[in-house]
Amino acid sequence: QVHLVESGGGSVQAGGSLRLSCAISGRIYLNNYIGWFRQTPGKEREGVAAIHIGDRYTYIADSVKGRFTISHDSTVTTIYLQMDMLKSEDTAIYSCAIGAAAERPTRVTLLSESAYHSWGQGIQVTVSS
């Protein structure tokens, strides 16, 4: 069974940067993908970035494109979410998740929480203006 643990959250002023980490324990396969999501009270969970383990394709939501980047370490056991030029509206609880599919899902699917079966506990990111 795969476990995911997020770290790197905290408070930052608008315009600043944070890098979130998603540490993966357990075996992962080429048909897995990892996504980063965020949620604020009263709103649906929003997918912000995803990476497919097999071909390392990355996907970024339009709402954060140009500011957020998803990457991985050399062993693909840690997935990073680099967040630059942060805005107050980026304040949320950020979670990473893992899913699997026989073929690489579409971008829309990869940014949808229904495509994922296991989640980390989430971590708070607060951006003050």
Side-chain angles (χ1 to χ4, degrees):
Q1 187 171 355
V2 175
H3 292 280
L4 309 170
V5 179
E6 302 94 341
S7 62
S11 297
V12 65
Q13 288 191 329
S17 298
L18 280 175
R19 188 177 77 163
L20 303 182
S21 299
C22 175
I24 305 168
S25 60
R27 188 166 183 176
I28 59 174
Y29 300 89
L30 295 178
N31 68 334
N32 283 130
Y33 41 87
I34 305 294
W36 279 101
F37 291 78
R38 64 185 182 185
Q39 190 169 26
T40 54
K43 292 187 177 181
E44 290 187 359
R45 188 175 282 169
E46 176 191 14
V48 296
I51 182 168
H52 189 267
I53 300 300
D55 53 26
R56 313 297 165 86
Y57 267 61
T58 61
Y59 306 82
I60 302 294
D62 291 340
S63 60
V64 301
K65 190 168 292 183
R67 301 189 298 119
F68 288 16
T69 305
I70 188 170
S71 63
H72 59 84
D73 67 352
S74 59
T75 58
V76 201
T77 55
T78 302
I79 306 298
Y80 303 106
L81 182 67
Q82 177 67 40
M83 306 185 294
D84 299 318
M85 296 180 285
L86 283 162
K87 306 175 182 179
S88 57
E89 51 262 44
D90 295 319
T91 294
I93 295 175
Y94 286 73
S95 303
C96 60
I98 188 169
E103 296 182 353
R104 174 160 49 88
T106 65
R107 177 177 179 274
V108 171
T109 298
L110 284 170
L111 295 178
S112 171
E113 63 176 305
S114 63
Y116 296 82
H117 57 74
S118 295
W119 294 78
Q121 80 285 357
I123 194 164
Q124 179 70 46
V125 170
T126 302
V127 183
S128 58
S129 56

